[in-house]
Amino acid sequence: MKKLLILSGKGGTGKTTVAASMIELFAAKAFADCDVDAPNLHLVENRNVLPDRKDFHGSQKAVIDKLRCMFCGACASNCRFDAIKLVKSKYIVDEFACEGCGVCEQICPAKAIHLEDDIAGELMLYKEERTFSTAKLKMGRGNSGKLVTAVKQQLVKNSEEEFAIIDGSPGIGCPVVASISGVDMVLIVAEPSQSGISDMERILDTVYQLDVPVAVCINKYDISLEKTEEIISFCEENEIPFVGKIPLDETVTKAQNNGRSVIHIDCPASRAIQGIYEQTKNLLNV
Ligand code: SF4
Ligand code: SF4
């Protein structure tokens, strides 16, 4: 399965707008949302069916059997994550602080502690004529890279399509590396601002390390023509394909509020996205 990944250095740059539009323009029958901290592709994909859901197990968490506990305090004083506290004369585990290292289980003289699989989020699969894989990480859980990998594996396992589009995670952390792994091309949606340029350069460093072909487009280019020119020059100097720029267009927000992709409406933004699609298609050779 050939995969196009849409990325941006941070949230709010229009990554999902571009991803949703590419899904429509490529008529992709397989796609995924790997923004597991804040998935929202389903909002513009307007699904009519409920997804199949399954729990995603991340790490393990310590559980104390209060009936066995002898209140020696050894677990609390040996937990280097400070995850066990004495509250109202009982030792309790802070599920957000526990890293599942197992030290407390090993040292408890009363064998009152064991580790249990923790439900860190949920995987969802929409399977109609098109296959859509997505997931949501629970608050305070740190397994986002692992969950992103699970979203991609779920898509591949449930679709025989030869082409897929993936809405990636924002930023440059672990989930982004997991998003990039195994894709055939990355399309970066850059924002024309000082921080947007810095974010784009940081993503490019990550993409280069993983040796994946990349192209760049700009969203809301007219909020800074100067920074837009800077991004275009940067791409030229570094021989990065620049595939187009999208103007600030309030039709995009209106379309999203109605659960639609902007590409179905004739407006300046949708015409620009059409151009980005054509250039991306040529680069991908699909
Ligand atoms: S180490 Fe075991 S016995 Fe001691 S306080 Fe912790 S749970 Fe209780
Ligand atoms: S498993 Fe490790 S992190 Fe969790 S409470 Fe026990 S010692 Fe602390």
Side-chain angles (χ1 to χ4, degrees):
M1 180 188 277
K2 209 169 199 173
K3 302 182 200 81
L4 169 66
L5 172 68
I6 321 293
L7 279 185
S8 64
K10 63 180 174 64
T13 57
K15 173 177 63 62
T16 297
T17 298
V18 172
S21 300
M22 291 297 140
I23 289 166
E24 297 301 317
L25 290 164
F26 275 97
K29 292 197 168 162
F31 46 96
D33 187 353
C34 287
D35 186 355
V36 297
D37 284 304
N40 54 14
L41 189 56
H42 62 286
L43 299 177
V44 283
E45 274 302 315
N46 219 2
R47 318 302 297 180
N48 295 320
V49 295
L50 290 173
D52 291 335
R53 296 172 186 270
K54 62 182 176 192
D55 290 340
F56 167 72
H57 294 104
S59 58
Q60 293 187 307
K61 303 281 179 193
V63 176
I64 296 177
D65 181 342
K66 295 180 180 65
L67 296 176
R68 282 178 169 248
C69 176
M70 305 184 306
F71 309 103
C72 68
C75 53
S77 55
N78 283 282
C79 174
R80 68 189 181 95
F81 300 99
D82 207 15
I84 299 182
K85 306 242 173 7
L86 188 59
V87 179
K88 294 183 184 165
S89 306
K90 284 184 182 150
Y91 284 95
I92 60 158
V93 178
D94 176 350
E95 62 171 304
F96 297 111
C98 176
E99 292 282 330
C101 68
V103 166
C104 55
E105 183 185 40
Q106 293 297 316
I107 62 164
C108 176
K111 302 275 179 251
I113 302 179
H114 69 279
L115 296 181
E116 280 185 3
D117 284 344
D118 175 55
I119 298 173
E122 65 175 340
L123 272 163
M124 289 158 280
L125 181 72
Y126 295 86
K127 201 154 175 15
E128 306 159 87
E129 72 281 4
R130 304 193 296 174
T131 306
F132 173 31
S133 176
T134 182
K136 197 181 337 176
L137 196 68
K138 264 171 77 176
M139 189 182 74
R141 297 309 194 264
N143 310 98
S144 48
K146 207 171 153 190
L147 184 52
V148 164
T149 300
V151 169
K152 289 165 70 183
Q153 285 172 342
Q154 177 173 254
L155 181 68
V156 171
K157 196 173 155 196
N158 287 280
S159 173
E160 292 177 358
E161 294 296 325
E162 292 183 356
F163 178 64
I165 291 180
I166 299 170
D167 185 9
S169 314
I172 57 156
C174 213
V176 176
V177 174
S179 298
I180 298 170
S181 172
V183 303
D184 296 273
M185 182 178 158
V186 173
L187 173 60
I188 296 177
V189 182
E191 180 190 85
S193 64
Q194 196 57 46
S195 63
I197 292 173
S198 167
D199 292 336
M200 177 189 74
E201 289 178 359
R202 281 165 17 118
I203 284 198
L204 281 167
D205 283 345
T206 311
V207 172
Y208 287 147
Q209 282 180 39
L210 295 169
D211 200 21
V212 176
V214 62
V216 169
C217 67
I218 301 176
N219 190 28
K220 300 176 191 164
Y221 80 87
D222 37 1
I223 61 173
S224 172
L225 296 179
E226 184 195 339
K227 294 296 175 196
T228 289
E229 279 313 309
E230 208 175 304
I231 293 172
I232 294 171
S233 299
F234 176 90
C235 289
E236 279 169 6
E237 281 160 23
N238 291 281
E239 298 181 354
I240 300 164
F242 179 76
V243 292
K245 53 187 188 180
I246 306 163
L248 178 64
D249 185 343
E250 62 180 27
T251 312
V252 174
T253 312
K254 284 183 188 162
Q256 281 171 345
N257 288 342
N258 289 317
R260 298 179 70 196
S261 166
V262 70
I263 210 66
H264 297 302
I265 303 164
D266 185 26
C267 64
S270 68
R271 288 193 286 275
I273 293 171
Q274 176 80 34
I276 291 169
Y277 154 70
E278 279 154 19
Q279 295 231 40
T280 306
K281 189 168 185 269
N282 286 341
L283 290 169
L284 255 176
N285 203 15
V286 290

